[in-house]
Amino acid sequence: MPPVTSEGPAPRIDTSVPHNARIWNYWLGGKDNYPVDREMGEQIRSFFPEIVDNAVADRAFLVRTVTHLAKEEGIRQFLDIGTGLPTHNNTHEVAQSVAADARVVYVDNDPLVLTHARALLTGSAQGATDYVDADLRDPDAILSAASATLDLSEPVALMLLGVVNFVADDGEVRSVLDRLLDALAPGSFLVVSHPTDDIDHERAHQVAAAWNERGTPKITIRSAEGIAALFDGLELLEPGVVSCSLWRPGPTEVGEVRPVAEYGGVARKG
């Protein structure tokens, strides 16, 4: 696999402003964060301690959805946009544990993620992993770069976990999704997770306000109805758009899971 490179000087990492990828990493117990991120993470946790449950449930949702798509739906290609910082159970690790020949392209535009991208480019010899430095708002650039690794004439799982919430305008979100999905073959899947205000409206917006005062990028909270609208025109898999913790929990989870303020769903393109 080719090395990760970038044109010009190395990207500058601003350690004076809290950043979503690093705070999420902190909540998941990672070490790729700075004091400003830990401070913001603790500030939010002080009035919304369940935020850590959101982060853990979102990662478990990734594992279950990727496992289902690879094992039950035969998907061998994954386009993961909004990758975040590498932790454990990354998309390629889960997919290639089911099918060694799975091909995964990660996409993110965060400088710190770029510096850690080599950790995402490790995988099975039979499959492939690649990293694209691009923004969700530029779907054409993503598709062009991803096509070097993925065969877009064959089904692809489009993974958008915790990233659509950083695009505030619903019209722009729809335009981006339509462009990405139009380029994917029938039989492809869309996987989305997104913070919601359906469980605790007041505190959800309190978190958003605290985040948007200092953090980057700015976050938008959507209702369950708004999140479900992201799947318009697609065939939703059961159980539909639900709390990430309630999307097909495993046998050891049943009876123990609690709803979290992070909703998710999986849908098939016809």
Side-chain angles (χ1 to χ4, degrees), residues 4-6 10-14 19-22 80-86 105-117 120 130-139 141-142 160-164 166-167 172 216-218:
V4 176
T5 60
S6 60
R12 179 178 178 271
I13 298 171
D14 188 348
H19 193 281
N20 173 72
R22 302 191 309 247
D80 186 341
I81 305 177
T83 304
L85 289 162
V105 172
Y106 292 105
V107 180
D108 210 303
N109 69 334
D110 178 73
L112 188 60
V113 177
L114 179 59
T115 66
H116 287 266
L120 292 170
D130 203 356
Y131 178 86
V132 174
D133 182 20
D135 191 292
L136 172 63
R137 296 176 178 84
D138 192 355
I142 291 173
L160 298 173
L161 274 62
V163 64
V164 175
F166 296 116
V167 182
E172 184 177 12
T216 183
K218 306 305 181 187

Side-chain angles (χ1 to χ4, degrees), residues 139-222:
D140 289 329
I142 291 173
L143 291 166
S144 176
S147 64
T149 302
L150 305 179
D151 179 357
L152 301 186
S153 68
E154 295 292 330
V156 174
L158 174 60
M159 312 288 296
L160 298 173
L161 274 62
V163 64
V164 175
N165 39 282
F166 296 116
V167 182
D169 184 78
D170 288 343
E172 184 177 12
V173 169
R174 187 72 265 159
S175 176
V176 168
L177 286 177
D178 287 347
R179 177 68 187 96
L180 290 168
L181 289 166
D182 285 349
L184 302 184
S188 293
F189 286 84
L190 173 65
V191 183
V192 175
S193 68
H194 194 298
T196 183
D197 58 11
D198 270 42
I199 291 180
D200 190 327
H201 187 276
E202 182 177 347
R203 284 202 299 163
H205 288 277
Q206 186 180 1
V207 168
W211 172 258
N212 290 339
E213 184 178 352
R214 294 180 58 204
T216 183
K218 306 305 181 187
I219 194 170
T220 295
I221 307 293
R222 289 184 168 90

Side-chain angles (χ1 to χ4, degrees), residues 54 57-58 61 160-163 165 191-200 221-228 230-231 240-247 258-266:
N54 281 22
D58 188 70
F61 174 73
L160 298 173
L161 274 62
V163 64
N165 39 282
V191 183
V192 175
S193 68
H194 194 298
T196 183
D197 58 11
D198 270 42
I199 291 180
D200 190 327
I221 307 293
R222 289 184 168 90
S223 65
E225 182 180 4
I227 299 169
L230 302 175
F231 297 96
V241 176
V242 295
S243 166
C244 284
S245 58
L246 300 179
W247 197 92
R258 295 180 300 170
V260 297
E262 188 87 7
Y263 278 13
V266 180

